[in-house]
Amino acid sequence: MNETYLLTRPEHDDTTYYLSQWVKGTVEYAQRKGIKVIDLHRQRARKQEVESLLESQSPKLVVLNGHGDNDSVRGHNNELLITAGQNESLLASKIVYAISCSSAKSLGPKSVSAGAISYIGYDDDFIFLYDPAKFSRPLQDETAGFFLQPSRLFIESIIKGNAVSEARKKCENMLKDTLKSLLGGNRSDASIARYLWWDLKHFVSHGDADATI
C-alpha cells in the first residue's frame, strides 16, 4: 500500500484540543499499516500549508478536525481552510471526513461536484460532551469517548481498507450500541444519549459509498 493520509489537528480551544487528542491515535494506526501520514498539528493546520500539501502530496484520505459551518471547515485559531466556492476543488480525488459542525450540508456536496470521491461529515452541529475533571487526560474521559471513539473507528476502518459504506456502518453500529446501553442507565446517561442520537441522525456521506483508499 502506498497511500497518503492527511489530517488537520488544530488545538486552540477545548473542542479542538479534544478532537486533536482523540484522532491522534489514528496516526500511529496508519503508520503501522504502511500509510504515509501528514499530521498538521496546531500551527501547521493553516490554510497555506493545507492547500500546498493537498495539491503537492495528493493524499487519498483527508480528515479535517475543527470548527465548521455549512460552507467551510476551519483550522488553527479558526483560520478558514476549505471553503465552498473558493478551494473545494483541492479535495478532488480524495476521501474526506470532516469532524466539524455542519460542513456536510453544503461544502460536502459541492466538494463532490468538484471531484472529491466521497465527503463524510455532519449536516448540522457535531456535539460532544466531556468531563472537565478529565480535561488533562482526554483519552481517559469516558464521556467524551462515547462521542469520539466512533469517529476514530470510522477513520481506522477506512485506513484498514473498508469501503466508505462499511466504515460508516461500523461507526453507526457503535453509536447505536452505546445508545442502547446508556438508555438503560440513569437520567444523566439519558442526557448523553440524546446528543449521541443527534450526531447519529446528522452523520451523512456524499459521493461514492463504495470507495476505498
Side-chain angles (χ1 to χ4, degrees):
M1 183 179 292
N2 186 26
E3 302 295 355
T4 301
Y5 165 33
L6 181 148
L7 74 159
T8 62
R9 291 199 298 127
E11 244 180 54
H12 59 272
D13 59 16
D14 291 0
T15 297
T16 53
Y17 171 68
Y18 258 74
L19 292 178
S20 172
Q21 292 301 305
W22 271 88
V23 81
K24 183 179 178 181
T26 66
V27 173
E28 291 86 356
Y29 186 82
Q31 289 170 336
R32 290 197 300 270
K33 295 291 184 180
I35 295 174
K36 177 183 177 182
V37 178
I38 302 170
D39 181 12
L40 302 183
H41 187 211
R42 295 183 178 173
Q43 288 83 359
R44 292 193 69 196
R46 301 280 194 181
K47 183 178 181 181
Q48 183 175 2
E49 186 158 8
V50 169
E51 287 186 325
S52 174
L53 289 166
L54 285 174
E55 194 166 26
S56 65
Q57 299 298 312
S58 298
K60 187 67 178 289
L61 174 63
V62 176
V63 174
L64 303 171
N65 292 274
H67 295 291
D69 55 39
N70 290 357
D71 294 304
S72 67
V73 177
R74 298 173 182 266
H76 198 67
N77 290 330
N78 285 328
E79 181 174 338
L80 286 166
L81 299 182
I82 305 294
T83 305
Q86 293 185 20
N87 62 353
E88 73 271 27
S89 62
L90 290 170
L91 301 178
S93 302
K94 299 167 178 61
I95 296 172
V96 183
Y97 177 36
I99 309 175
S100 67
C101 291
S102 304
S103 72
K105 187 175 182 103
S106 180
L107 177 59
K110 288 181 179 179
S111 296
V112 170
S113 294
I117 296 170
S118 186
Y119 191 107
I120 307 95
Y122 304 86
D123 63 8
D124 208 314
D125 290 344
F126 172 68
I127 299 172
F128 73 90
L129 305 180
Y130 67 89
D131 180 356
K134 297 287 180 66
F135 186 76
S136 63
R137 296 162 290 148
L139 296 182
Q140 296 178 27
D141 186 340
E142 183 181 24
T143 299
F146 293 146
F147 298 86
L148 301 179
Q149 183 61 40
S151 292
R152 191 158 74 177
L153 174 64
F154 178 84
I155 298 167
E156 291 178 350
S157 295
I158 293 292
I159 289 169
K160 189 177 180 180
N162 291 163
V164 169
S165 59
E166 295 175 286
R168 183 178 171 188
K169 185 174 181 180
K170 288 181 179 180
C171 177
E172 290 174 337
N173 285 343
M174 178 178 278
L175 283 166
K176 290 174 182 177
D177 288 344
T178 303
L179 277 167
K180 289 177 184 176
S181 175
L182 291 173
L183 288 172
N186 58 36
R187 182 176 298 180
S188 62
D189 286 345
S191 177
I192 293 171
R194 177 160 55 96
Y195 293 113
L196 282 173
W197 171 248
W198 173 273
D199 288 344
L200 176 61
K201 183 171 66 172
H202 293 287
F203 181 48
V204 300
S205 63
H206 303 279
D208 184 2
D210 295 322
T212 61
I213 63 170

